[in-house]
Amino acid sequence: MNPRRGRKGAEEGARAGGADPGGPLVMVCLGRRCSALRALAGTQGRVAELQRAVGSTRGAVLVTADCLGSCALAAVAGVAHRDGATGQAGLTVWLTGVHEEGRADALADWIRSGGPEPAAEPDVGLPVALVEAVAGLGRPPRVARRGA
């Protein structure tokens, strides 16, 4: 995984309100296949929209990767709750087909509303438009804090 944007949202949120509150950790594949699917669907701008959603959500963090290795699942994204005190992410819900307009919009809206709850499974409270997008639940990704 090649992080392109790390803890910026969380760091800004921490400065604004003191301690890092934690929040959604969103991982998005920007590999060749996922990017090509977005181009074919005309949804390339949805990645920028997701960046804005993360930037406007206190404690949210966006991690982009050159390839997440799930090319058979179409454009993929993973979402987990990140603990503010430790920076560690919980169980991840992996979503497929997020190049589709409805799913891309639903993902950004879900992140704006806070994403997964801290103590719940990450797919609890998932927007209806994303229910069929669930590819599975998995272990949290290992993401290092900047400067660590």
Side-chain angles (χ1 to χ4, degrees):
M1 189 178 290
N2 178 15
R4 294 188 182 168
R5 178 175 181 212
R7 297 181 44 83
K8 185 176 180 184
E11 290 169 354
E12 289 171 356
R15 282 194 301 271
D20 180 354
L25 172 64
V26 184
M27 294 132 305
V28 177
C29 183
L30 298 179
R32 285 184 266 176
R33 187 168 196 288
C34 291
S35 294
L37 287 168
R38 285 187 190 91
L40 287 170
T43 58
Q44 306 95 312
R46 293 304 195 268
V47 174
E49 179 60 28
L50 185 57
Q51 288 174 323
R52 286 189 290 277
V54 168
S56 68
T57 303
R58 189 165 188 249
V61 174
L62 176 65
V63 176
T64 59
D66 288 332
C67 183
L68 291 173
S70 299
C71 299
L73 298 175
V76 295
V79 182
H81 180 79
R82 184 188 55 79
D83 181 79
T86 66
Q88 298 298 309
L91 196 61
T92 302
V93 60
W94 290 98
L95 305 168
T96 185
V98 294
H99 63 285
E100 297 172 11
E101 188 170 359
R103 289 181 179 181
D105 291 343
L107 177 57
D109 290 344
W110 186 40
I111 298 308
R112 277 190 200 92
S113 71
E117 294 296 321
E121 295 290 312
D123 57 341
V124 171
L126 197 65
V128 173
L130 294 176
V131 170
E132 290 187 16
V134 174
L137 302 178
R139 293 186 343 196
R142 294 186 329 179
V143 179
R145 292 179 182 250
R146 284 193 179 176

